[in-house]
Each structure stands twice: as C-alpha cells, then as structure tokens.
Amino acid sequence: MSDASAVLDDLRSESLECDLLVAGASARQWAGETPAEGWTVAHQIAHLSWTDDVALISVTDPGRFGDEVARAMEDPEGFVDRAAEGIVAACPPDALLGRWRAGRERLQEALRAAPAGTKFPWYGPPMSVASMATGRLMETWAHGQDIADALGVTRTPTARLRHVARIGVRARDYAFFVRGKQAPTEEFRVELAAPGGELITYGPEDAGQRVTGPLHDFCLLVTQRAHRDDLAVRAEGADADAWLSIAQAFAGPAGAGRAPKGER
C-alpha cells in the first residue's frame, strides 16, 4: 500500500489547497460563474462532494454502485450536472463545504483500509486504490483550476501534477474510443518539463509520435481547462497531433473543451 498511501497523501494535500480557495469566500463569490458554462463555484465543490460520495459507494458497496451506473446511463449527458445542481440547491455554502470535507475524509479512510489488490467498479475501467486516488486528485485539481480562475487566483504548480499527467497519458486510447475513433496502435513518446526542472517521460525514446511541453500545460490540456492553442504543448506526428485535439483525462462523454482565449 506504500504507493497508494503516497497518492492518498497527495490527494489530501490537493484537496486542502482547493479547500483554502473557498474557505474564506463570500456568498457572492460562491455564486460566481466559473469557466465551466452554467457552473458556479458552488457547483464545482458540489461536484467534488458528489463524486467522493459515489466513489465511497464503489469502495464500500460495489453492488450498490451498479445502481449509480444505471442512473447515469438514463441521462449520460446530464447526470453530472443534475447531481451538482441538486446539492447546490440543498446546501448553502457553509453546509456544502462541510459536506465535502466530511465526505472526502470518509473516502480517504475507506481507501486506506481497502486490501491491497482490490479493484473497484467505476464509470470507466475498474480502479485500484492508487488509481481511484489518482482520479480523485485529477478531478480535484481540475475543478480547483476552475475555482481559481473564477476567483482570479493564480496557483503555483506542484509536483502533484505528475499524477494528473499520468492519468492523462493512460487515458489516450479512451479519448479516441469515446469519440468513436480508432486509437493508434503504437506507443507515443511524451516528455513533460516539471516546474522544478525534472523531465517526466512516458513511452519509448525512439517513438515516431511525440508530445512535448510543460507539465502544467499538458495537465490543463488533458483536463480540458485550456485550449491547445493557448498552451505550449507540441506534437510531432499526425496521430499525436490528433490526440492533442481530443485528449481527456476523465471518464464519461467527450467534453466540449474550452475555446481559445481570443474566442471567449
């Protein structure tokens, strides 16, 4: 559990950073629009809270999680929005923040107590403890970015971004699949420059298809928090170029993404 524990520690740190963004926010700021159309700051926290709740169901009651998947299939394009809206309607900001804090701690405890090697059902492929924690960290960082943008806060990139990048790279084929496209058969080389100067790499050095750029920009790309035209992520090869236009690190339907800055 050592690797999983390290990811869970990073998830806790990422959650606290996001928490600090909203802990002192005014009612007006909680109601402020974020870059995600139709979502306020409150919706962003509500979504994190709801996803922690369903993740806890997956970990503690896998059979019941099947009911969650069935409900999602009834409205695959709208179930996420509907869940967030329901929580926002029921919880004023203080209650919503308390809900998220309690829920994410329950999930932490459940994941830390899970036997090594356990796999949990999810909306995409089944997840191990480490992959579930990585997915929660990715979402927390991404929705935290929306909140930071709404509040006019510039966050300092951290080493935790390596988790976001890893899930983005691993989700390459899923990004093609969810759009009804055939995924490339060859591995890509991905080289990302971390804030501290470290080079994070994936894939064979001699791969014909390559992606390079700053780690932070790559994470913004795969979480669809910025358009590729506004980022310093570059592709070599037609397949790599196609991937950068559709990359997504999250399960579910293909996201609409963000428009380039000049079109907003």
Side-chain angles (χ1 to χ4, degrees):
M1 283 289 288
S2 57
D3 289 345
S5 293
V7 182
L8 284 163
D9 288 344
D10 281 348
L11 170 58
R12 180 169 275 149
S13 296
E14 192 64 44
S15 298
L16 178 58
E17 181 175 301
C18 184
D19 191 307
L20 291 173
L21 287 172
V22 297
S26 66
R28 182 176 181 179
Q29 288 174 314
W30 275 91
E33 292 293 323
T34 68
E37 185 177 356
W39 277 34
T40 65
V41 169
H43 285 89
Q44 300 284 350
I45 296 298
H47 175 69
L48 292 177
S49 181
W50 171 79
T51 315
D52 285 344
D53 288 349
V54 293
L56 183 64
I57 292 171
S58 172
V59 173
T60 60
D61 192 350
R64 183 182 160 205
F65 184 76
D67 297 336
E68 297 295 330
V69 174
R71 278 192 284 272
M73 291 301 98
E74 292 173 0
D75 183 17
E77 298 292 336
F79 79 100
V80 170
D81 290 337
R82 189 175 65 250
E85 183 59 42
I87 294 173
V88 169
C91 298
D94 286 349
L96 175 52
L97 184 54
R99 185 188 196 280
W100 178 45
R101 286 171 174 170
R104 75 190 196 226
E105 192 55 37
R106 285 193 296 269
L107 180 59
Q108 275 272 344
E109 292 171 0
L111 287 171
R112 289 180 187 276
T118 305
K119 293 281 189 177
F120 312 112
W122 197 239
Y123 297 101
M127 290 192 169
S128 65
V129 172
S131 59
M132 179 70 82
T134 301
R136 298 307 310 123
L137 189 154
M138 178 272 294
E139 279 221 88
T140 302
W141 180 82
H143 291 283
Q145 185 63 47
D146 287 340
I147 293 168
D149 288 343
L151 298 178
V153 175
T154 299
R155 300 190 297 175
T156 301
T158 73
R160 296 189 296 271
L161 288 177
R162 70 189 185 279
H163 300 301
V164 181
R166 182 173 183 271
I167 200 170
V169 170
R170 289 172 63 89
R172 184 200 73 172
D173 289 0
Y174 180 79
F176 284 92
F177 168 78
V178 78
R179 290 165 176 79
K181 299 177 181 291
Q182 182 66 43
T185 57
E186 65 180 299
E187 290 188 72
F188 293 177
R189 176 69 169 182
V190 179
E191 298 182 350
L192 306 171
E198 176 189 5
L199 187 65
I200 298 175
T201 63
Y202 303 90
E205 291 186 26
D206 61 350
Q209 305 287 321
R210 307 175 68 84
V211 170
T212 59
L215 172 63
H216 182 246
D217 283 22
F218 181 78
C219 292
L220 289 171
L221 179 78
V222 298
T223 57
Q224 297 188 359
R225 262 51 193 181
H227 193 277
R228 66 176 292 189
D229 290 351
D230 298 322
L231 301 170
V233 182
R234 301 291 178 260
E236 296 178 28
D239 288 340
D241 185 70
W243 178 42
L244 293 191
S245 294
I246 62 171
Q248 67 178 70
F250 47 88
R258 301 282 161 80
K261 287 182 179 178
E263 297 179 14
R264 297 176 196 171

